[in-house]
Amino acid sequence: MTLTEAGAPPVYRDRAAPVDVRVRDLLSRMTLREKVGQLNQRMYGWDAYRRTPDGGFELTDALYAETERFAGLGALYGLLRADAWSGVDHTGGPVAVDGPALADLVQHHVLQRSRLGIPALFVEEVPHGLMALDGTVLPVNLAVGATWDPGLYERAAAHAAAELRARGGHVALVSALDIARDPRWGRTEECFGEDPYLAARLTEALVRGMQGAPAPHFAPDKAPVVLKHFAGQGATVGGRNSAESELGRRELHEIHLPAARAGIRAGAAAVMAAYNEVDGMPCCGNRTLLHDLLRESWGFQGLVMADGLAVDRLARITGDKVSAGALALGAGVDLSLWDEGFTHLEEAVERGLVAEDVLDTAVARVLRLKFQLGLFEEPYAHSPSPDPDAGRELSTELARAAVTLLHNDGRVLPVRATRIAVIGPHGATTAHQLGDYTAPQRPGTGSSVLDGLRRLAPPGTDVRHARGCALTGDDLSGIPEAVALAAGSDLAVLVLGGSSARTPDTEFDANGAARRTRSDMTCGEGVDLAGLRLGRAQRALLDAVTATGTPTAVVLVQGRPHAVPEAAERADALLTAWYPGPWGGEAIADVLLGNTEPTGRLPVSVPRSAAQLPVYYNHKDTEYGSYVDVDAEPLYAFGQGLSYTTFSYGPPRADRHTVTVDVANTGERHGRTVVQVYLRRLITSVWPRTLELCAFEGVDLAPGECRAVTLPLDAERLGDAGAVEIRVAESSRAALTAVPAVLDLRA
C-alpha cells in the first residue's frame, strides 16, 4: 500500500472519504503513462488465460505484455465471454463454478503490476442475460418489447446483474438504445421495437433492475450499465450494418434519443458511442453529440465507451491513428475498445493534439466507477450466485409474455386436437431460439416446441414430428414426410423462422460481427437481408402443409419481422415468439394449449413485403398514396396482438395530466389487454406524426369484468403542442379509428 510522507494511507485509500475527493487524490499521483492506461480496453479477455492440465487457469504472455505496457490495466473486455467468435466453450472456458477464481487471478496480477494498486474493470456482454458459460439466457430485446411489461423485465435484468457480479464481472454492456426502423437490419433483434416511448420505458426498467436505486456505491449484486448504442444506429440506410445514416435533427431527437434520455435520467452509468455517423461525423468523434448534447444539455456525468475499433475508423478523417485517438477523446470518449488510437494518447498530449486536462477528465470518470464499485477495498468480492431455477423461470415468463397471436381465424387455438403434427425446422430444436450474442449451451438445456407440447399436452394426446426442411437452402426432400404426417393429424403446428446461431464455421470481422457463414444463420450482427420472406424451402413446406386441408397453426421463431403474407392467407392461426430463449418451446406450448393466454403485442410493424419499407406506424402525417401492385399498409400493425378472449374500450376522458378509459372483457376467458394511449397533434409548429405512443399499461380482467383504467400523460411528451387528440385502443391501427378525446393545451 502506498503511504503518505507522514506514514498514513493516502486519501484515495480512505473508504470514508467522498468518491470525488478520492478520485482527485489518486489522479494527482498518476503519471501520464498510467493515466493513458486507464483509458485503454485493449484485449480480448479470452486471450488473457488458458486452461492448465490440472483444470485450473494460467495467465498468458499477452496479458503480461498489456499490463506491462501501461503499468496496470484500465479495463478488460470479455474475460467470461463464450461463443463461436471467441472460440470459448465448455471444453476449456470458465464455467459458473470457476469463473470467479479466474477473475481473481487476473485482478491479482493487475494489482501487482500497478504502482498505485489500481484494479481493473471487467466488462462483459449482457445483451439478453450474461454471455458466459452457464449464464441464464433471456429472450432477445425484440421479445422483451413484445411483452410491453417493464416490471417483468426489471426483475429479469436484476437477475442478470446478480449473475454477472457473482462470476467476477463488473460492468454490463446492454443493447437498449437502437430503434428498429428497417427490419432488414440483422441487429433488429437487439432493439425493443420501432417506438421511442416503448423503448424508453424498457430502458428505464433495465437500468433500475441492473443498477438498483441511485446511490454513491453499487450494491454487491448490482452492475453499472453501458447502454448501447448512442445514437441513431437503427437508422442505418438500407438495413445494412454500420452503414451511413440519414438523420435530420428532428428525427434524431424524436425517435432515436428518447430511450437514451430515459436511461440517463434513471441513472445509467455509461453509454457506448455507436458506429454510425450523425450529419457526417461518426458518433465516437462527434463532439456535438457526446459533449454538447450528452454532457452540457443533459448533464450526463457518466462514462462514454467507444464501440469496438470505432476510434481507429476516425483515421479516415484525421489521417492517422494518433490524431484519431485525440479526436475521440476531445469529442467525449472516455474508454476505448480494442483500438490503437487510444494507446497513443501520451504522444497526442505531448504533440499538443489534446490537452492533458481533457485526458484527466476522462481518467477521472473511469476511476470514479471503480471507486463506486468498491474495487479498491474489495477487488476480489463476489456476490452469492442467484438461484439458476429463478433465472430459468424469469426467462420462461418473459418468453410466455412475448408470444403474440396475430390471427386465429380458424379458431384452432387454444388446441383441442388429440393428434398434433409438429413440423418445421424449428420444431424440435432449441439452438435457433437463442438469438445472437449467446454462449454455448450444455446439451439438454431448454425445451423445443416439440418438447413442450409432449410434456404439457393432456394425457392421450399424440404429438409427432417431421422436420420437413432446413432453415436455409433449397432441399425439399423432407416435405413428403411432413405432408403425410400433417394429413394424418388433427392439427399441424408449423414452426418456421430464422436463426442467429453462430457456429464454428462462421467467419467474423475483427469486432465480432459475422462476415460470412455457411450455417443457418440468417440474422444477427453482420447478417443483413435484402428481402424479408422466409427461405424457399420453408415457403414450399408452408404451401404443402396447408394444402392438405389439416388445420394449421404457424409459429414464427425469428429475430426480425419476416414478411409472411402466405401464412396470413393460408394458415388458420399465426403466432410470433421472436427468439424466446432456451425454454421458449415450453412457453410457446403453454400458449398453444391455452394454459397461458397470449399476451404479447407487436413492438414493430410487420410488412407485407420488403418493397414497402418503411412501414413504421409513427411516420409523418402525410397522405401517402398506395402502391398499384400491393397495399401500402403493414400486414400487422405496431401494438397488434390477439387474446383468447375479447375486449371493448369506452371513449377516453382526458385532461392535461391523465387519461381514463373503461375497459371490459367481453369474452369467456380471463385475459390481459395492453391499453395503448396515442397522441395525435392537431395544431403544432412542425408537421406532426400520424400517431405517437405516449402511455400504456397491461390490464388483467376476468370474463365480464369492466374497469376504469387511468394512465398518466407525460407533460414533456406533450411538449408545446397546441390542440391534440388522445386516442386509446388495442393497437396503433385501431387507434386510427378510435373515438378521441380532444385537448386544447393553449387554454
Side-chain angles (χ1 to χ4, degrees):
M1 178 181 293
T2 303
L3 300 180
T4 63
E5 292 181 3
V11 173
Y12 78 88
R13 287 292 187 183
D14 182 1
R15 70 168 64 201
V19 168
D20 286 344
V21 172
R22 300 178 73 183
V23 168
R24 285 196 299 271
D25 180 68
L26 178 54
L27 193 60
S28 70
R29 301 170 186 273
M30 297 173 68
T31 66
L32 182 56
R33 176 187 173 209
E34 288 169 332
K35 292 174 184 178
V36 170
Q38 290 300 301
L39 305 185
N40 274 277
Q41 186 176 206
R42 285 279 307 137
M43 289 189 66
Y44 299 132
W46 53 91
D47 289 336
Y49 68 89
R50 55 176 167 261
R51 281 281 189 183
T52 57
D54 62 1
F57 294 99
E58 64 182 6
L59 304 182
T60 63
D61 291 341
L63 179 64
Y64 294 152
E66 194 63 29
T67 51
E68 178 65 25
R69 186 177 189 181
F70 293 112
L73 195 68
L76 181 64
Y77 170 95
L79 182 64
L80 303 175
R81 177 168 177 158
D83 68 336
W85 178 43
S86 64
V88 176
D89 56 27
H90 286 92
T91 62
V95 296
V97 294
D98 56 20
L102 173 60
D104 289 352
L105 182 66
V106 175
Q107 191 72 279
H108 179 72
H109 169 76
V110 171
L111 290 172
Q112 282 187 322
R113 295 301 189 274
S114 172
R115 178 179 63 91
L116 297 168
I118 304 174
L121 287 173
F122 296 147
V123 180
E124 298 293 337
E125 298 282 3
V126 192
H128 48 108
L130 176 61
M131 191 181 174
L133 299 174
D134 303 330
T136 298
V137 179
L138 303 172
V140 297
N141 278 6
L142 201 57
V144 171
T147 70
W148 293 61
D149 193 340
L152 174 58
Y153 183 48
E154 182 175 338
R155 290 193 285 122
H159 183 90
E163 281 195 346
L164 171 67
R165 296 302 305 278
R167 297 281 289 273
H170 304 132
V171 178
L173 303 180
V174 189
S175 294
L177 308 184
D178 300 333
I179 305 299
R181 304 299 271 182
D182 189 330
R184 293 173 295 178
W185 187 35
R187 303 190 77 169
T188 296
E189 67 188 78
E190 297 181 44
C191 307
F192 290 130
E194 72 183 38
D195 180 78
Y197 184 83
L198 177 62
R201 301 292 77 78
L202 291 167
T203 301
E204 290 171 342
L206 165 68
V207 174
R208 288 194 302 264
M210 284 203 160
Q211 293 191 178
H217 296 86
F218 292 96
D221 62 345
K222 298 297 182 182
V225 174
V226 181
L227 297 176
K228 304 192 300 184
H229 304 86
F230 189 76
Q233 187 164 266
T236 176
V237 172
R240 296 187 296 272
N241 194 43
S242 297
E244 70 270 23
S245 57
E246 295 177 353
L247 279 173
R249 185 178 185 277
R250 182 182 170 200
E251 194 76 6
L252 177 67
H253 281 260
E254 289 184 0
I255 301 298
H256 297 278
L257 290 178
R261 185 77 172 107
I264 287 167
R265 284 178 169 171
V271 298
M272 176 179 281
Y275 284 124
N276 60 283
E277 46 80 25
V278 175
D279 199 22
M281 177 57 73
C283 292
C284 68
N286 197 317
R287 184 173 173 83
T288 301
L289 182 70
L290 300 183
H291 180 270
D292 298 353
L293 175 69
L294 186 62
R295 302 283 187 202
E296 295 296 320
S297 180
W298 291 1
F300 180 61
Q301 299 298 313
L303 192 73
V304 174
M305 181 188 299
D307 208 338
L309 300 171
V311 171
D312 286 354
R313 295 185 182 187
L314 296 176
R316 179 70 175 80
I317 297 172
T318 66
D320 61 55
K321 292 181 179 179
V322 178
S323 53
L327 174 61
L329 185 69
V333 172
D334 304 306
L335 186 63
S336 73
L337 184 56
W338 311 323
D339 296 281
E340 284 294 327
F342 263 35
T343 68
H344 301 296
L345 287 178
E346 187 172 358
E347 178 184 349
V349 170
E350 292 168 348
R351 287 170 50 185
L353 298 176
V354 67
E356 188 167 357
D357 63 340
V358 173
L359 185 141
D360 285 353
T361 299
V363 176
R365 293 188 185 114
V366 175
L367 296 177
R368 184 177 297 113
L369 194 56
K370 294 181 178 185
F371 281 116
Q372 290 174 323
L373 282 162
L375 298 183
F376 284 84
E377 289 73 46
E378 298 178 356
Y380 310 117
H382 311 294
S383 61
S385 295
D387 182 1
D389 290 337
R392 170 178 174 169
E393 181 51 41
L394 281 167
S395 180
T396 309
E397 192 175 351
L398 272 172
R400 288 192 197 100
V403 176
T404 305
L405 179 62
L406 295 176
H407 83 248
N408 192 20
D409 298 342
R411 297 289 185 261
V412 297
L413 300 179
V415 172
R416 294 175 294 275
T418 58
R419 294 178 301 170
I420 303 173
V422 178
I423 297 170
H426 274 303
T429 179
T430 61
H432 304 302
Q433 296 176 177
L434 305 179
D436 202 2
Y437 282 84
T438 304
Q441 303 295 290
R442 291 184 184 274
T445 299
S447 63
S448 66
V449 176
L450 179 65
D451 296 332
L453 285 171
R454 282 179 170 168
R455 189 173 75 82
L456 298 172
T461 304
D462 183 15
V463 182
R464 299 187 180 183
H465 170 253
R467 186 168 185 241
C469 70
L471 275 170
T472 58
D474 298 329
D475 185 0
L476 309 181
S477 61
I479 291 181
E481 178 190 5
V483 167
L485 183 64
S489 302
D490 304 319
L491 176 71
V493 176
L494 187 53
V495 194
L496 307 173
S499 176
S500 296
R502 300 180 175 211
T503 59
D505 64 357
T506 304
E507 295 181 19
F508 299 98
D509 287 327
N511 66 349
R515 177 190 303 164
R516 186 179 298 116
T517 177
R518 290 177 289 277
S519 68
D520 286 330
M521 193 175 183
T522 62
C523 196
E525 184 177 6
V527 186
D528 311 315
L529 298 180
L532 292 174
R533 299 184 71 189
L534 297 173
R536 176 173 175 264
Q538 292 196 66
R539 297 199 309 272
L541 179 64
L542 171 63
D543 290 345
V545 170
T546 54
T548 65
T550 298
T552 302
V554 171
V555 179
L556 297 173
V557 175
Q558 54 186 349
R560 57 159 61 87
H562 283 89
V564 285
E566 305 94 340
E569 294 165 3
R570 298 170 197 162
D572 298 275
L574 175 63
L575 307 91
T576 178
W578 310 111
Y579 289 145
W583 299 281
E586 179 179 315
I588 293 167
D590 264 330
V591 173
L592 290 171
L593 295 168
N595 300 336
T596 297
E597 293 293 306
T599 60
R601 299 295 184 266
L602 286 177
V604 288
S605 303
V606 178
R608 301 172 188 273
S609 160
Q612 290 180 293
L613 298 177
V615 295
Y616 41 76
Y617 84 96
N618 51 359
H619 54 76
K620 307 290 175 49
D621 195 9
T622 304
E623 291 295 332
Y624 289 110
S626 186
Y627 297 106
V628 172
D629 56 343
V630 68
D631 192 323
E633 293 299 314
L635 185 61
Y636 297 105
F638 173 82
Q640 195 165 339
L642 301 175
S643 302
Y644 292 147
T645 187
T646 54
F647 300 92
S648 67
Y649 285 61
R653 307 178 295 278
D655 57 32
R656 289 173 175 269
H657 306 290
T658 62
V659 58
T660 301
V661 63
D662 296 325
V663 184
N665 183 339
T666 56
E668 299 178 354
R669 290 177 61 110
H670 184 282
R672 178 181 187 266
T673 184
V674 177
V675 178
Q676 301 168 35
V677 181
Y678 291 91
L679 172 70
R680 183 170 183 266
R681 302 176 191 270
L682 300 177
I683 299 176
T684 180
S685 59
V686 293
W687 199 268
R689 298 184 184 277
T690 301
L691 292 172
E692 301 170 50
L693 182 70
C694 62
F696 64 88
E697 183 176 325
V699 180
D700 291 280
L701 296 172
E705 182 181 2
C706 180
R707 187 185 310 166
V709 180
T710 299
L711 300 92
L713 292 176
D714 187 343
E716 184 174 333
R717 183 78 175 170
L718 294 175
D720 59 354
V724 300
E725 291 179 349
I726 304 297
R727 295 172 175 257
V728 184
E730 290 184 89
S731 72
S732 60
R733 178 172 288 167
L736 290 172
T737 56
V739 175
V742 179
L743 292 177
D744 190 345
L745 301 176
R746 299 167 299 176

